Amino acid sequence: ETGVTQSPTHLIKTRGQQVTLRCSSQSGHNTVSWYQQALGQGPQFIFQYYREEENGRGNFPPRFSGLQFPNYSSELNVNALELDDSALYLCASSLGIGQGARGYTFGSGTRLTVV
Amino acid sequence: AQSVTQLGSHVSVSEGALVLLRCNYSSSVPPYLFWYVQYPNQGLQLLLKYTTGATLVKGINGFEAEFKKSETSFHLTKPSAHMSDAAEYFCAVSGPPGGSYIPTFGRGTSLIVHP
């Protein structure tokens, strides 16, 4: 069974630009969550998608948006990039919302640097 | 809102010594609790989880944790540290049923293992 894959692995963008990060969930998983992990910090919840609908959102501004596709893969879009957006972005998948109690399967992340 | 506090941003042990990483949670009812490990430049890997039942939980790589409701704690231990255990460890909380299953992570504890 394949795990969670994220692309790209590294990215450098200029302040004010827009970026799209991609995530393929583990086979059979229909729920995808996105986290932002700043250097030296724990992951902070951005939002979660379940069956193509947003199921919850953390304390992030609207310029952070997402999508989930029928095959359960997902995108995270960030507009008007700021220097503080520099972080490791983690995608995690699970089977169903309630199955999050079993723990998530994480990808290796996308390292975004904003200059 | 649920939260976890990890005591100590860094823990240093000698190879072969006991590992103890501390985590306290804040929740009005017993939640679901997790420990994840993150190796450099990688995503998070689930070590172990507590949902219901036995309060002593065994995980991968020889780690275990004990849920203590009276102390609102879920400390992670390993009898004998290996060099390969050097990593960042995150405690997380979610649930319980009827609440949000989206995990909230602590700030992490960096485990340093000396030869």
Side-chain angles (χ1 to χ4, degrees):
Chain A
E1 111 189 325
T2 58
V4 176
T5 57
Q6 293 187 242
S7 63
T9 55
H10 295 82
L11 201 53
I12 299 175
K13 288 287 189 178
T14 302
R15 188 172 49 182
Q17 286 187 315
Q18 178 267 342
V19 68
T20 298
L21 310 182
R22 295 177 174 82
C23 171
S24 293
S25 61
Q26 181 171 311
S27 177
H29 285 186
N30 56 15
T31 304
V32 171
S33 304
W34 286 92
Y35 285 82
Q36 180 195 65
Q37 186 180 15
L39 201 60
Q41 302 293 318
Q44 297 294 312
F45 174 68
I46 302 175
F47 43 57
Q48 181 181 80
Y49 280 85
Y50 171 64
R51 293 185 175 179
E52 303 179 58
E53 297 288 330
E54 187 177 290
N55 179 56
R57 189 179 182 91
N59 188 27
F60 280 81
R63 59 189 184 84
F64 285 78
S65 63
L67 280 174
Q68 187 179 33
F69 300 98
N71 66 354
Y72 303 130
S73 66
S74 178
E75 287 183 354
L76 164 64
N77 300 289
V78 187
N79 294 320
L81 283 166
E82 300 177 359
L83 296 179
D84 285 349
D85 295 334
S86 295
L88 180 67
Y89 288 84
L90 294 166
C91 171
S93 74
S94 60
L95 175 59
I97 299 170
Q99 297 305 310
R102 296 188 177 184
Y104 288 172
T105 301
F106 280 84
S108 296
T110 294
R111 173 73 63 187
L112 172 65
T113 302
V114 182
V115 298
Chain B
Q2 295 172 320
S3 65
V4 289
T5 301
Q6 292 185 241
L7 300 177
S9 59
H10 295 84
V11 169
S12 182
V13 300
S14 298
E15 192 172 21
L18 171 71
V19 175
L20 171 61
L21 305 182
R22 299 177 186 273
C23 173
N24 288 88
Y25 68 89
S26 171
S27 176
S28 58
V29 294
Y32 299 145
L33 293 158
F34 309 84
W35 276 99
Y36 285 84
V37 61
Q38 185 178 35
Y39 298 101
N41 300 313
Q42 294 189 26
L44 278 69
Q45 179 184 7
L46 182 66
L47 271 178
L48 48 80
K49 61 184 181 288
Y50 168 79
T51 53
T52 59
T55 56
L56 182 61
V57 180
K58 295 186 184 297
I60 62 172
N61 302 338
F63 285 93
E64 61 182 37
E66 186 171 10
F67 170 65
K68 292 188 176 180
K69 182 180 176 182
S70 61
E71 299 177 6
T72 61
S73 69
F74 191 57
H75 301 332
L76 181 70
T77 60
K78 183 174 180 178
S80 176
H82 292 252
M83 296 296 292
S84 60
D85 294 328
E88 193 81 16
Y89 291 80
F90 294 94
C91 182
V93 61
S94 78
S100 171
Y101 290 106
I102 297 171
T104 299
F105 288 83
R107 297 185 62 160
T109 298
S110 179
L111 177 63
I112 301 163
V113 182
H114 297 286

